[in-house]
Amino acid sequence: MLSYSSSILIALAALLVTCHALCKCPGIAGPPGIPGGDGLKGLPGSLAAKHHSVLANLKHRLFRLEAALALNGKIRKVGEKILASNGKKVDFVSALKSCEEAGGTLAAPKNEEENKAIMDIVKQYNQYAYLGIRKGEASGQFRYINGMPLNYINWHQHEPNSKGKEKCVEMYTDGTWNDKKCDRNRLTICKF
Ligand code: MAN
Ligand code: CA
């Protein structure tokens, strides 16, 4: 039979593990020691401690991996998002496809900070990039790939000018946008 206080401790440990699994906890402090807990509720203390150390180790490795990739200019972290380019210049559909096949989508800036992060990659490769934005068939409005309306824009002066059929959007090296035909070869920048 478990005492009231050990039940509380076990419940606390289970909560801590859940919290760490969801990565909402700052730092990687360990759970409280749970002597001899082989709980009826939640995880046994030894299992909770093991899970915690596995998660803490993964978190630490992930942190170092992201730092190393960012240092080498392989990725850019912006908020919770990760931006990366394969360095390839292809048409819009091919660019979107390669991002989706990699488990992401074409990057589209939702605010100034994200626009700057994408611009840094455009500058790094010195190549204009397609953004994950296109003109909707029905609406005739520029929207994100998922169909949602834009909540941030950074058009170059006099753009969009919709010359002919410019249904895609490219980013210039100064971070401003131009509506552009979708069949040009532009740098692929994905968001994960
Ligand atoms: C080209 C195209 C257009 C763009 C103008 C700007 O014609 O890239 O999309 O609007 O240049 O002068
Ligand atoms: Ca244009």
Side-chain angles (χ1 to χ4, degrees):
M1 198 40 189
L2 285 167
S3 71
Y4 179 68
S5 59
S6 40
S7 300
I8 298 259
L9 273 176
I10 290 161
L12 251 178
L15 194 73
L16 258 173
V17 169
T18 313
C19 170
H20 275 280
L22 295 171
C23 284
K24 280 181 179 166
C25 298
I28 48 171
I34 303 156
D38 50 9
L40 299 169
K41 293 176 191 165
L43 291 167
S46 57
L47 196 55
K50 188 167 178 232
H51 282 190
H52 178 273
S53 94
V54 169
L55 285 169
N57 184 254
L58 281 174
K59 209 167 166 179
H60 188 221
R61 288 189 67 175
L62 191 59
F63 178 85
R64 286 177 297 147
L65 186 61
E66 285 184 342
L69 288 171
L71 183 71
N72 287 330
K74 300 282 186 196
I75 63 162
R76 266 165 194 76
K77 294 198 285 173
V78 53
E80 289 293 298
K81 294 168 187 165
I82 292 178
L83 303 174
S85 175
N86 58 9
K88 292 184 178 152
K89 287 174 66 186
V90 292
D91 63 83
F92 176 83
V93 170
S94 305
L96 177 59
K97 189 163 169 261
S98 65
C99 288
E100 288 180 343
E101 280 172 359
T105 189
L106 258 186
K110 300 277 170 77
N111 53 52
E112 201 182 328
E113 190 193 10
E114 292 185 6
N115 201 78
K116 161 87 167 58
I118 297 172
M119 182 186 75
D120 286 344
I121 300 177
V122 166
K123 278 186 170 167
Q124 178 183 351
Y125 287 91
N126 195 27
Q127 300 287 348
Y128 299 169
Y130 275 129
L131 298 177
I133 293 170
R134 65 183 153 192
K135 198 177 258 188
E137 291 295 340
S139 65
Q141 302 284 311
F142 284 101
R143 290 175 181 266
Y144 298 115
I145 298 297
N146 66 9
M148 295 295 284
L150 304 183
N151 56 16
Y152 167 85
I153 51 168
N154 194 34
W155 294 112
H156 193 266
Q157 207 180 12
H158 309 308
E159 305 293 348
N161 60 357
S162 235
K163 281 186 180 175
K165 295 179 178 174
E166 297 188 321
K167 295 180 190 297
C168 286
V169 179
E170 65 184 354
M171 180 185 277
Y172 290 148
T173 42
D174 67 354
T176 60
W177 308 357
N178 171 39
D179 57 341
K180 190 76 181 175
K181 288 178 81 174
C182 302
D183 61 356
R184 301 304 148 102
N185 288 335
R186 292 290 178 266
L187 183 65
T188 306
I189 302 176
C190 309
K191 177 196 84 176
F192 298 92

